[in-house]
Amino acid sequence: RDVAELVSGVTIRVGSVELRDMTVALIDLKPIAAMIGRPLPVILGKEALNALTVDLDFAGKTIAFHDPARFRPAPGAVPVPVTSVGGIHAIPVSIEGGEPVLLDFDLGNGSPLLVFAGYWKPRGMLVGRKSSKALSGAVGGLKPRDVATVKTLTLAGVTFRDVPAIFGEDD
C-alpha cells in the first residue's frame, strides 16, 4: 500500500529551467526504481509538461526540457503540435500509413501502444494478423485484450516498425 503526501510551494529545477510554487506528491519511488533498474529521483507530470518545451531526440534516445520563452530548436527539429483531449496530451500519428489521428502521449506509461476499438475495428486491423491475449488495464481492473504488432507508426516524420500494441475492446 503506497502512501503519498501533498506538499505545496515547491520549486523544481530541471537544468536551467525553474518551476515555482508547484504542488507535488511525496512518495517512495525506490520500489519503482528497483523494478526499472535505474534511479528514479522524480516523476514529472503534466504540470511540468504543460509549462516546458519538451525536446525528444529519438535517435539519441534523450529528452530535454526547455523554458519555452528561450527555446530555439536545433536545425532539422520537427515541431509536433500537442493537443489536450480531456486533460490528456495528444499528438498526431499515422498508423500503418493511415491518415493522422490523435494519440494519447504518455512518457510514463510502460505499456505497449493502445489502439482503441473505434480505430482498429472499422479497419479490420486484427483480420489475418497474428495476435495473442494478455491481461491489461489500470483503473477498473484487468481485462483480457488482444496483443499484436502494428507494422508502422509514424510520428514527427520518424517511422517506428513492429510496434507492440494492445487492441482494446471497450476503451
Side-chain angles (χ1 to χ4, degrees):
R1 181 176 166 177
D2 293 326
V3 177
E5 179 181 345
L6 294 179
V7 178
S8 299
V10 174
T11 297
I12 297 173
R13 285 187 193 87
V14 179
S16 63
V17 178
E18 192 171 272
L19 301 172
R20 294 189 176 113
D21 199 27
M22 302 289 291
T23 298
V24 301
L26 299 179
I27 187 169
D28 182 7
L29 297 174
K30 286 186 224 117
I32 299 170
M35 283 191 301
I36 63 173
R38 65 178 60 184
L40 185 63
V42 66
I43 296 174
L44 294 176
K46 70 178 181 179
E47 295 81 8
L49 296 174
N50 287 342
L52 303 172
T53 295
V54 181
D55 184 5
L56 298 172
D57 178 354
F58 292 114
K61 297 182 180 180
T62 62
I63 181 171
F65 300 96
H66 303 277
D67 178 343
R70 297 186 299 194
F71 177 69
R72 299 294 174 262
V78 177
V80 177
V82 178
T83 304
S84 180
V85 178
I88 304 290
H89 288 100
I91 56 174
V93 300
S94 172
I95 298 173
E96 298 183 346
E99 288 296 314
V101 295
L102 289 177
L103 175 90
D104 291 353
F105 190 63
D106 184 352
L107 291 173
N109 188 334
S111 297
L113 171 69
L114 174 59
V115 183
F116 294 119
Y119 185 85
W120 72 263
K121 280 187 175 182
R123 291 165 179 79
M125 288 183 72
L126 287 179
V127 175
R129 191 179 304 242
K130 291 181 182 179
S131 68
S132 61
K133 292 280 188 192
L135 290 176
S136 173
V139 177
L142 296 174
K143 298 177 184 178
R145 294 188 171 138
D146 287 294
V147 178
T149 301
V150 167
K151 294 171 191 145
T152 61
L153 182 135
T154 303
L155 160 64
V158 177
T159 298
F160 300 91
R161 299 191 183 289
D162 302 322
V163 178
I166 295 173
F167 289 78
E169 279 292 330
D170 56 356
D171 301 297

